[in-house]
Amino acid sequence: ISLQKSHSIFILDRSGVVPNDGVTHQGLFDIALFRPVPGLEIMSPVSAADLKLCFEYALAANGPVVIRYPKAACPQELPEFSQKVKRGKGILLESQGKATKNKYLIVTSGSMYQEAALACREEAVKKIKTDIYIMRFIKPFNEEYFIDLASQYKGILLIEDGVQTGGISENLAGLLAKNKILKT
């Protein structure tokens, strides 16, 4: 499908860590499994509204697309979740104005947003300003945009719902180190 650039849409339920389903229903390997496939796009919507937008994008795509989502309740909709889909880019949630060297950035897949939002709230209690970048696209990933964004923050935390080897966070950590944004 991928080598022939066949227009196909794979809807992947139970991506990432799946509570209460046992070892046979874990989606921990989906990112590591699908990222190396040439020409395959991987999307990770954050909410029901975003899932609809990602599906509409996939319908218009010229090749195969995987849309991965977790076994979890959708978070409360935010206006940012309804932003137009831009290939390779995610959704930035700014806590208090634009990025500065006094703020931190949490980078996460859509399915891990609720955990990232909880961490952000806990940091806000400590008066630590934190923004969230939701990777709507695992692949393709707009590295140039990400490096520009990441360079504006004091520190970055990568959260992924998959395995370390072959995952997107492994790739992003290397990208940040290569661009001297953080040391791994």
Side-chain angles (χ1 to χ4, degrees), residues 32-94:
L33 176 68
F34 291 121
R35 267 190 70 238
V37 177
L40 182 68
E41 295 190 38
I42 307 169
M43 302 183 81
S44 183
V46 65
S47 70
D50 192 29
L51 175 61
K52 181 179 185 290
L53 291 169
C54 289
F55 187 69
E56 289 169 355
Y57 171 90
L59 284 172
N62 292 323
V65 179
V66 171
I67 300 175
R68 62 185 304 274
Y69 61 92
K71 176 190 174 183
C74 286
Q76 179 180 350
E77 293 291 347
L78 297 176
E80 292 89 347
F81 297 165
S82 294
Q83 292 175 6
K84 182 180 177 182
V85 175
K86 294 180 183 171
R87 189 172 190 265
K89 290 188 179 179
I91 300 168
L92 179 62
L93 301 175
E94 296 176 309

Side-chain angles (χ1 to χ4, degrees), residues 8 36-37 39 56 58 60 82-83 97 108-109 117 119 127 132 143-145 157 166 170 177 183:
S8 305
V37 177
E56 289 169 355
S82 294
Q83 292 175 6
T108 185
S109 59
K127 306 278 191 245
I132 300 174
E143 293 180 354
E144 185 177 311
Y145 172 80
L157 174 65
E170 176 185 52
K183 296 177 183 173

Side-chain angles (χ1 to χ4, degrees), residues 95-96 101-106 119-131 154-155:
S95 60
Q96 298 172 343
K101 285 294 186 181
N102 294 323
K103 288 176 86 174
Y104 293 86
L105 180 65
I106 297 175
C120 202
R121 283 191 294 276
E122 289 176 4
E123 295 307 304
V125 169
K126 300 175 193 172
K127 306 278 191 245
I128 298 172
K129 297 176 185 173
T130 308
D131 293 345
K154 183 175 184 175

Side-chain angles (χ1 to χ4, degrees), residues 103-153:
K103 288 176 86 174
Y104 293 86
L105 180 65
I106 297 175
V107 180
T108 185
S109 59
S111 52
M112 294 298 290
Y113 163 73
Q114 295 195 78
E115 288 78 3
L118 178 62
C120 202
R121 283 191 294 276
E122 289 176 4
E123 295 307 304
V125 169
K126 300 175 193 172
K127 306 278 191 245
I128 298 172
K129 297 176 185 173
T130 308
D131 293 345
I132 300 174
Y133 182 69
I134 303 164
M135 296 180 286
R136 186 182 253 168
F137 281 87
I138 302 297
K139 180 186 169 192
F141 188 83
N142 189 322
E143 293 180 354
E144 185 177 311
Y145 172 80
F146 177 69
I147 290 301
D148 182 55
L149 177 67
S151 67
Q152 300 173 48
Y153 288 89

